[in-house]
Amino acid sequence: PQPAPTSPPTVLTRWPALDARTQLTAMGLSYFDQNQFIAAIRRGDQLAVALFVAGRGVNLEAATDGKTPRAVAQEVGNAAIIQLLS
C-alpha cells in the first residue's frame, strides 16, 4: 500500500518559528528583515508573509515610511494578507 498523499500547506498554516526561518532563508530572504517583509506584502506574496509572521523576526506594528504592515496590505487590497496580519 502506498501512503496517502498529503495536502500542501496553505498560506494560513502556522509553522514553528525555526521551520519558517529555514524556509525564508531557502527563499533568499532574511527572517528579520523588515524591508523584505514589507516588500513581500506589497507584491502580494502570501507564503512569504506567512513565513515572516511565523518566524517572529519582524515587527508587525512597526511603521515603515509611515505605514504599518497592515496599512500596506490594506493599501494593496490583499484580503488574505490582511487576515494574516490580524
Side-chain angles (χ1 to χ4, degrees):
Q2 294 189 5
T6 57
S7 299
T10 67
V11 296
L12 298 179
T13 299
R14 302 287 182 213
W15 292 276
L18 180 59
D19 291 346
R21 291 175 180 193
T22 301
Q23 292 299 318
L24 284 166
T25 300
M27 295 167 66
L29 300 170
S30 299
Y31 73 90
F32 54 83
D33 191 313
Q34 193 78 18
N35 290 324
Q36 289 180 354
F37 174 52
I38 296 297
I41 294 169
R42 288 195 190 285
R43 70 176 176 270
D45 189 338
Q46 295 175 24
L47 177 59
V49 172
L51 289 168
F52 274 113
V53 171
R56 297 188 219 140
V58 294
N59 186 332
L60 303 181
E61 304 300 322
T64 302
D65 296 328
K67 296 178 186 167
T68 64
R70 185 174 167 88
V72 173
Q74 289 171 330
E75 184 178 273
V76 297
N78 191 314
I81 290 178
I82 292 167
Q83 182 181 2
L84 284 170
L85 299 174
S86 297

